[in-house]
Amino acid sequence: MEWLVVVLDFLGQQILNVPAYLIGIITAVGLIALRRSAGQVIGGGLKAAIGFLILGAGAGVVVASLDPLGRLILAVTGAQGVIPTNEVITAIASEQYGAQSAYILVLGFIVMLLLARFTPLRYIFLTGHHMVFMSLLLTVVLSVGLGEELGWLVVILGAVLLGVIMVVMPAFAQPWMRKITGDDTIAIGHFGTLGYIAAGAAGQAVGRRSRSTEEINFPQGLRFLRDSTVATALSMVLIYLVFAIWGLIALPTAEALDIFGSENQGAYIMAAFGQALQFGVGVAIILFGVRTVLGELVPAFQGIAEKVVPGAKPALDIPIVFPFGANAVLIGFLASFLGGLVTLVLIAVWLNPAFGLALILPGMVPHFFTGGGAGVFGNATGGRIGAAVGGFVNGVLITILPAVLLLVFGELGFANSTFGDADFGWFGTAIGVSLLGGPVIGVIVCVLIGAALVVGASIFQKRVVDTGWVPGARRDALLAEGSGAETATTTPDRPAGGRTQGKSGARH
């Protein structure tokens, strides 16, 4: 059986762990199902894979530009705590649980396909690295909770739970995705979905008359800020320079210069300036990669939808929504970071002394990607106010939930590290707490949780998604009345014909 472990580990780590390969394969399969020529299959698969590699390259540039900023903020504020990083805990856990997680990853993908085929949840989760993160989270929690001697049960239960969460979360987020994109062709496949739904709901609650972030009218002298790339880069320049100057004032000169590897203060300031511009470059690359993927994947996916899983939708990574609200991404990112800082103070002053929650320091990377996505969701239902409030709510969630998950890991003997995004927090905590009652009770409760999620999501799909409910429809009507435009909305929360294109639905 050792050869089978090697094969599964290869599939899990070398193929399903690389989103570009997974997307390329799915695109090629879809084109084959459409009976396209060999050249079209190869070309379409490669182009889709290249698009995701472009997206990954942009993400790498963003991460590299944010890393020194994060270290600078920690240095000048003197904050100490844990920065949740999915990649770090994954690297730690894979040394001990890599083989089991590979089984869970492959079998979980099969469970997802079966659920998509035989339930109303017609979604196929295609974000490979998040599949790996969740499979490792489940492996760790289940292995420690059930014991090493029940490894076969860990694999079976973990695969079922992984398949469940991969079809359930896209369903719950689909009304907001449909509002953002203007159609029903794609879904969100990212384990920060709870934060995005909360952002969309918050935007709907507070932004009834707030116009879209993409309609911001700048003064004549600031018209250049209409270019989202320029606006993003300028905002980051201001943030970087504020903290860079603060660093020169608050830190010993040598320590401050070492953050950017600079020889003098002039080089230090210009290094901060350059890193801020690199952030803008990364965002521009991400947007181009997303457009490339959409151009190949969505048409090719019709083949899988028609032949394998009728009516299925691809659930894709969060940057897929960035082109639909470029200004909202920046607003959501900044608001999410602010929410993280406010919640950090709340933990330090109250929750840590009272409940022993760890200090979760706001990491720039998770706040950018999940906060930016939350900004787009909030903007779709609540405009500028919704983008800001939605991003802030997301920042609170990705600070509180990792702290709670860290408590669970502590109870299970796996402390001092935690996952970052919202769904890892609530789902990992629910599974971990279930196992504290013992293996038998734990397995029963875990199965009940999975069943409840599938049933609840199926009901939500039929009664909310399929009936065409549009979040924020009242706001659309109010804005249309205010501008004297006609609206297609016939009731406060239902569009005529069951479909609508929200004001944030235009592609950018």
Side-chain angles (χ1 to χ4, degrees):
M1 293 296 292
E2 185 177 350
W3 65 270
L4 183 58
V5 174
V6 173
V7 171
L8 289 174
D9 183 69
F10 174 79
L11 291 174
Q13 300 298 325
Q14 304 302 324
I15 296 179
L16 295 179
N17 190 28
V18 182
Y21 299 162
L22 184 61
I23 291 297
I25 292 171
I26 294 295
T27 302
V29 170
L31 292 173
I32 291 173
L34 291 173
R35 298 182 180 180
R36 299 294 169 80
S37 67
Q40 290 175 315
V41 171
I42 295 173
L46 286 177
K47 190 171 182 180
I50 289 171
F52 247 83
L53 289 174
I54 293 172
L55 191 154
V61 174
V62 169
V63 169
S65 68
L66 289 177
D67 178 66
L69 178 60
R71 289 187 284 115
L72 180 62
I73 292 174
L74 293 179
V76 297
T77 60
Q80 298 295 324
V82 175
I83 300 181
T85 307
N86 297 330
E87 291 78 7
V88 171
I89 190 171
T90 297
I92 296 173
S94 62
E95 294 183 4
Q96 183 176 354
Y97 301 101
Q100 284 180 304
S101 70
Y103 280 112
I104 290 177
L105 184 62
V106 175
L107 295 178
F109 192 81
I110 295 174
V111 171
M112 176 194 68
L113 292 178
L114 293 174
L115 289 172
R117 179 65 179 84
F118 297 108
T119 73
L121 307 175
R122 300 286 202 265
Y123 303 96
I124 296 182
F125 195 101
L126 298 177
T127 307
H129 59 296
H130 266 237
M131 293 164 56
V132 172
F133 296 159
M134 185 60 80
S135 68
L136 272 164
L137 169 66
L138 293 171
T139 303
V140 170
V141 174
L142 293 173
S143 295
V144 178
L146 296 176
E148 297 293 337
E149 65 277 5
L150 295 177
W152 60 272
L153 183 57
V154 169
V155 170
I156 295 174
L157 185 57
V160 171
L161 292 172
L162 178 61
V164 166
I165 198 69
M166 287 195 294
V167 295
V168 162
M169 297 312 294
F172 284 131
Q174 192 58 18
W176 289 271
M177 276 298 291
R178 186 166 54 199
K179 179 68 179 292
I180 291 168
T181 63
D183 56 42
D184 205 26
T185 57
I186 60 174
I188 195 66
H190 189 272
F191 289 130
T193 302
L194 178 63
Y196 309 141
I197 295 174
Q204 184 173 349
V206 302
R208 291 289 179 89
R209 294 185 178 275
S210 179
R211 292 196 173 274
S212 171
T213 57
E214 311 312 296
E215 299 177 13
I216 294 176
N217 292 319
F218 294 102
Q220 185 67 34
L222 298 176
R223 290 296 177 92
F224 68 94
L225 291 178
R226 287 185 172 180
D227 187 324
S228 61
T229 301
V230 174
T232 299
L234 180 60
S235 299
M236 290 306 297
V237 165
L238 294 176
I239 293 173
Y240 250 103
L241 291 182
V242 166
F243 281 101
I245 294 172
W246 187 358
L248 288 177
I249 297 173
L251 301 175
T253 302
E255 182 179 346
L257 297 181
D258 185 62
I259 292 177
F260 294 105
S262 305
E263 297 180 355
N264 54 61
Q265 296 180 353
Y268 166 85
I269 293 295
M270 291 310 298
F273 180 79
Q275 290 290 349
L277 294 184
Q278 284 295 312
F279 180 90
V281 171
V283 172
I285 295 174
I286 287 174
L287 298 181
F288 178 74
V290 167
R291 295 187 185 100
T292 303
V293 173
L294 283 177
E296 297 297 325
L297 178 63
V298 173
F301 198 83
Q302 295 174 0
I304 295 177
E306 295 171 0
K307 304 295 183 180
V308 182
V309 185
K313 301 176 183 65
L316 305 174
D317 202 354
I318 188 58
I320 212 74
V321 305
F322 287 4
F324 299 98
N327 294 337
V329 171
L330 180 61
I331 293 173
F333 161 49
L334 297 176
S336 180
F337 186 73
L338 177 62
L341 289 176
V342 171
T343 310
L344 172 62
V345 174
L346 179 65
I347 293 176
V349 173
W350 174 44
L351 296 177
N352 177 267
F355 302 102
L357 292 187
L359 298 181
I360 303 297
L361 303 178
M364 300 298 286
V365 173
H367 279 289
F368 170 70
F369 287 105
T370 66
V376 176
F377 274 71
N379 175 61
T381 57
R384 304 165 194 177
I385 297 176
V389 175
F392 187 91
V393 169
N394 177 80
V396 172
L397 288 176
I398 66 172
T399 305
I400 289 290
L401 291 176
V404 176
L405 180 61
L406 194 61
L407 277 182
V408 174
F409 277 170
E411 291 289 334
L412 297 174
F414 203 80
N416 299 324
S417 188
T418 187
F419 289 84
D421 301 339
D423 294 343
F424 296 116
W426 75 262
F427 194 56
T429 299
I431 300 303
V433 170
S434 301
L435 296 171
L436 295 178
V440 176
I441 295 178
V443 170
I444 294 174
V445 175
C446 287
V447 171
L448 290 176
I449 289 174
L453 286 173
V454 172
V455 172
S458 297
I459 294 173
F460 185 85
Q461 178 71 34
K462 289 184 175 181
R463 296 186 178 180
V464 178
V465 181
D466 292 345
T467 57
W469 175 70
V470 179
R474 285 193 180 93
R475 167 180 169 268
D476 293 342
L478 289 173
L479 293 179
E481 291 173 3
S483 62
E486 294 183 359
T487 178
T489 305
T490 58
T491 61
D493 281 314
R494 289 188 186 276
R499 292 284 296 275
T500 189
Q501 287 195 9
K503 291 187 177 296
S504 62
R507 293 177 184 266
H508 296 280

